[in-house]
């Protein structure tokens, strides 16, 4: 591809992207295909000779697009959003064109310094105190792994990386039963082991860890010769929005000398609205916090911010400094590869900088407030229907519900058939979960382009299809 071709196809791709976004309401949210359909449509081997871009692009539209789930669809109510505001997409064009490797200050000074500045913008927007620094990780999974590795090293007096875990007491980490599975993976990868993740059963509306039970578990483990290392708190868990009393568990962590990490991957975005900050009261006492601007705020994936009270602990855990990675003659510079598990780093700060400037915090607050209000309204409407029950009340814009079958059928099987029928219909997209062992259907509002009319349409689709599924 020469320079003229690059210019032509870049313009065509941009035009295609704008046309695609404008046509989303006409498409089913989830593709109507069977497993293997796309795989069988792709040639079994790579071509020996170059093919023309017209052919490649035509195959993209014919073979690939029909197999895509449309995450930017305004009626995407499944999982949590993975928003990509158009201004963020434009910034990613620029990042892709420059194709910089931003592992060190010297490999892209502007990328490093913009990251430092935009992360501090977000700290201020969330109402966190000045004591926090931060880094943009690829995802909350990586941020949580970095936090677990740090709490492990701190508990082992910084000997774990050098000596391994053999010969040391069993390292213990504590969380509620509402945390994301990324916590399990971090425990696996860190070598701590699944049996050493102590789950404290949640209680109350938001399934928060019981403070007394948490403390009792720590005391019992220490008496048994184990090594309590850290606590992972949840704010807005994936299943039903499980949220711990962060002030309570911060008090326990402080008295027992444990590292506290707060996972607010989804709900953290809502903290730009001061009226929602009570959900994470006490977060300012945490050692680290993660939230994902690529979920609710509109920064294209991947863009996850990890705030740190003592970044030197993270650097001590992760940094390796061979001669070829040193920046001579520049004392005091930040090399963010020392704050992350991967060495290679993308220029993630640019899309966040574009986004915050193009929308402004007040417009982002208005969007989040609207999503919360629309979700609460839909929950109230479903609660008023004779055959529906609200299983978990709204936590911000997330709630779950269940439909009661008209005749004596298994309720779990009935609700699974209902959510599958809704998704096969294509007008909206939902997901299921289990609450106290029983199937429930999740609903969350968070897509950047969603309107009140889209949420009203969801009510119509849900109730219409429920009448047909018996």
């Amino acid at each position: 591809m020469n320079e003229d071709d690059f210019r032509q196809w870049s313009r065509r791709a941009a035009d295609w992207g704008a046309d695609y976004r404008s046509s989303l309401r006409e498409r089913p949210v989830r593709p109507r295909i069977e497993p293997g359909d796309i795989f069988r449509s792709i040639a079994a081997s790579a071509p020996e000779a170059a093919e023309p871009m017209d052919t490649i692009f035509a195959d993209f539209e014919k073979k690939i697009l029909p197999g895509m789930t449309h995450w930017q669809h305004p009626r995407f109510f499944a999982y949590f959003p993975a928003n990509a505001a158009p201004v963020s997409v434009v910034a990613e064009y620029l990042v892709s064109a420059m194709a910089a490797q931003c592992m060190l200050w010297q490999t892209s000074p502007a990328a490093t310094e913009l990251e430092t500045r935009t992360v501090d913008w977000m700290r201020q927007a969330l109402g966190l105190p000045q004591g926090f620094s931060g880094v943009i990780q690829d995802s909350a999974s990586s941020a949580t792994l970095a936090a677990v590795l740090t709490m492990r090293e701190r508990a082992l007096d910084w000997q774990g990386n050098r000596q391994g875990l053999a010969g040391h007491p069993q390292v213990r980490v504590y969380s509620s039963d509402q945390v994301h599975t990324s916590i399990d993976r971090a425990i696996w990868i860190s070598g701590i082991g699944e049996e050493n993740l102590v789950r404290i059963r949640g209680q109350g509306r938001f399934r928060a860890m019981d403070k007394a039970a948490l403390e009792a578990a720590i005391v019992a483990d220490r008496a048994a010769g184990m090594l309590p290392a850290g606590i992972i708190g949840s704010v807005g868990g994936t299943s039903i929005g499980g949220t711990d009393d962060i002030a309570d568990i911060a008090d326990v962590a402080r008295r027992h000398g444990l590292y506290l990490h707060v996972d607010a991957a989804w709900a953290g975005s809502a903290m730009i609205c001061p009226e929602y900050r009570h959900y994470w009261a006490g977060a300012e006492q945490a050692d680290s916090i993660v939230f994902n601007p690529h979920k609710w705020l509109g920064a294209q994936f991947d863009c996850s911010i990890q705030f740190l009270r003592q970044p030197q602990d993270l650097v001590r855990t992760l940094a390796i400094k061979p001669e070829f990675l040193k920046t001579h003659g520049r004392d005091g510079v930040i090399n963010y590869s020392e704050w992350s598990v991967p060495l290679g780093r993308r220029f993630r700060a640019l899309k966040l900088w574009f986004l915050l400037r193009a929308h402004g915090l007040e417009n982002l607050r208005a969007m989040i407030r609207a999503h919360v209000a629309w979700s609460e309204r839909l929950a109230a409407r479903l609660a008023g229907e004779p055959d529906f029950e609200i299983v978990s009340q709204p936590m911000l814009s997330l709630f779950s519900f269940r439909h009661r079958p008209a005749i004596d059928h298994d309720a779990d099987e009935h609700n699974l058939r209902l959510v599958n029928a809704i998704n096969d219909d294509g007008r909206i997209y939902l997901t299921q979960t289990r609450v106290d062992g029983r199937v429930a259907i999740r609903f969350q509002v968070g897509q950047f382009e969603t309107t009140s009319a889209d949420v009203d349409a969801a009510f119509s689709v849900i109730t219409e299809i429920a009448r047909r599924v018996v």
Side-chain angles (χ1 to χ4, degrees):
M1 180 177 285
N2 61 32
E3 184 177 323
D4 289 339
D5 291 336
F6 180 46
R7 190 181 308 278
Q8 173 194 340
W9 283 103
S10 294
R11 287 171 174 163
R12 182 162 174 184
D15 287 342
W16 183 91
D19 292 341
Y20 167 76
R21 290 298 189 95
S22 67
S23 69
L24 279 173
R25 277 193 175 83
E26 303 161 20
R27 303 174 186 271
V29 188
R30 203 175 71 170
R32 297 183 178 121
I33 63 167
E34 295 298 323
D37 285 353
I38 305 302
F39 178 80
R40 286 187 293 271
S41 75
I42 307 299
S45 302
E48 294 291 340
E51 297 183 31
M53 273 296 292
D54 281 315
T55 301
I56 299 169
F57 202 90
D59 277 351
F60 160 70
E61 293 187 300
K62 178 183 177 182
K63 298 180 178 182
I64 306 304
L65 188 60
M68 294 301 296
T69 296
H70 302 297
W71 282 72
Q72 305 312 310
H73 199 295
R75 294 180 182 176
F76 185 103
F77 301 116
Y79 304 103
F80 284 135
N83 284 324
V87 66
S88 175
V89 176
V90 171
E92 282 289 76
Y93 288 162
L94 305 179
V95 168
S96 295
M98 289 186 288
Q101 164 53 277
C102 305
M103 58 186 177
L104 308 171
W105 177 87
Q106 66 175 324
T107 62
S108 283
T112 295
E113 296 185 17
L114 185 64
E115 181 164 344
T116 304
R117 181 62 76 191
T118 54
V119 166
D120 194 62
W121 280 9
M122 286 308 321
R123 176 195 64 76
Q124 296 174 56
L126 298 174
L128 292 172
Q130 279 192 334
F132 282 97
S133 302
V135 56
I136 303 179
Q137 309 280 21
D138 55 1
S139 65
S141 296
S142 292
T144 296
L145 174 58
V148 168
L149 291 170
T150 303
M151 66 176 69
R152 183 199 74 184
E153 286 303 291
R154 201 168 79 171
L156 293 172
D157 195 26
W158 312 101
Q159 297 303 307
N161 282 340
R162 188 170 65 86
Q163 298 176 354
L165 300 187
H168 292 286
Q170 286 177 262
V171 176
R172 304 283 268 184
V173 175
Y174 307 85
S175 76
S176 78
D177 56 5
Q178 296 296 306
V179 294
H180 190 267
T181 53
S182 62
I183 281 77
D184 298 69
R185 287 186 174 180
I187 295 296
W188 297 349
I189 296 167
S190 68
I192 291 172
E194 185 174 346
E195 292 181 357
N196 292 309
L197 175 60
V198 182
R199 298 182 189 274
I200 308 299
R201 183 171 175 79
Q203 60 179 5
R205 173 178 171 182
F206 295 119
R207 310 297 175 105
M209 273 189 280
D210 177 76
K211 181 180 181 180
L214 171 63
E215 186 146 27
I218 294 168
V219 170
D221 284 347
R222 190 162 274 150
M226 298 178 184
L227 183 59
I231 305 170
I232 299 175
S234 175
V235 178
T238 301
S239 177
I240 56 170
T243 297
D244 291 313
D245 185 325
I246 303 301
D248 266 2
I249 61 176
D251 178 57
V252 174
R254 183 173 58 254
R255 285 189 288 104
H256 290 274
L258 304 189
Y259 186 108
L260 174 59
H261 175 65
V262 174
D263 180 1
W266 162 65
S269 293
M271 304 309 155
I272 65 172
C273 304
E275 68 269 29
Y276 299 137
R277 290 179 189 160
H278 63 90
Y279 285 118
W280 76 354
E284 69 282 354
Q285 301 175 59
D287 293 285
S288 61
I289 304 167
V290 63
F291 97 104
N292 293 346
H294 68 232
K295 280 191 166 71
W296 210 350
L297 284 188
Q300 182 166 340
F301 186 86
D302 51 12
C303 184
S304 180
I305 295 180
Q306 181 181 8
F307 293 105
L308 299 148
R309 177 179 298 283
Q310 294 181 288
Q312 65 270 23
D313 286 353
L314 179 64
V315 172
R316 187 174 182 181
T317 300
L318 298 179
I320 299 177
K321 300 180 181 180
E323 184 63 32
F324 57 82
L325 291 181
K326 293 178 181 177
T327 302
H328 292 286
R330 294 288 189 273
D331 293 336
V333 298
I334 295 174
N335 293 320
Y336 279 119
S337 60
E338 298 173 356
W339 299 41
S340 306
V341 174
L343 172 62
R345 305 190 80 250
R346 299 179 65 248
F347 187 3
R348 299 186 181 99
L350 192 68
K351 58 195 168 194
L352 187 57
W353 187 55
F354 270 52
L355 174 77
L356 293 173
R357 295 183 66 188
H359 286 272
L361 289 170
E362 197 50 55
N363 284 321
L364 294 172
R365 291 186 189 107
M367 175 192 69
I368 288 172
R369 287 166 176 151
H371 290 172
V372 172
W374 297 339
S375 183
E376 290 173 344
R377 186 183 69 197
L378 178 62
R381 291 184 72 184
L382 285 174
E385 292 291 305
D387 297 324
F388 284 89
E389 61 176 309
I390 301 303
V391 177
S392 60
Q393 294 294 324
M395 162 56 183
L396 298 171
S397 66
L398 167 66
F399 69 93
S400 66
F401 66 91
R402 187 181 290 122
H403 184 253
R404 290 185 286 268
I407 54 180
D408 188 20
H409 282 326
D410 180 273
D412 283 355
E413 189 271 340
H414 171 78
N415 278 278
L416 287 174
R417 286 197 295 116
L418 173 58
V419 74
N420 287 334
I422 289 169
N423 292 336
D424 289 343
D425 173 82
R427 285 175 287 175
I428 66 172
Y429 185 20
L430 305 179
T431 47
Q432 74 283 341
T433 189
R434 284 189 179 268
V435 182
D436 298 326
R438 300 176 62 197
V439 170
I441 300 174
R442 295 172 71 260
F443 187 97
Q444 67 79 32
V445 186
Q447 207 288 320
F448 217 72
E449 305 296 334
T450 296
T451 66
S452 176
D454 291 313
V455 179
D456 290 340
F459 174 82
S460 299
V461 171
I462 292 167
T463 53
E464 170 197 325
I465 294 178
R467 288 192 291 269
R468 302 202 306 257
V469 175
V470 294

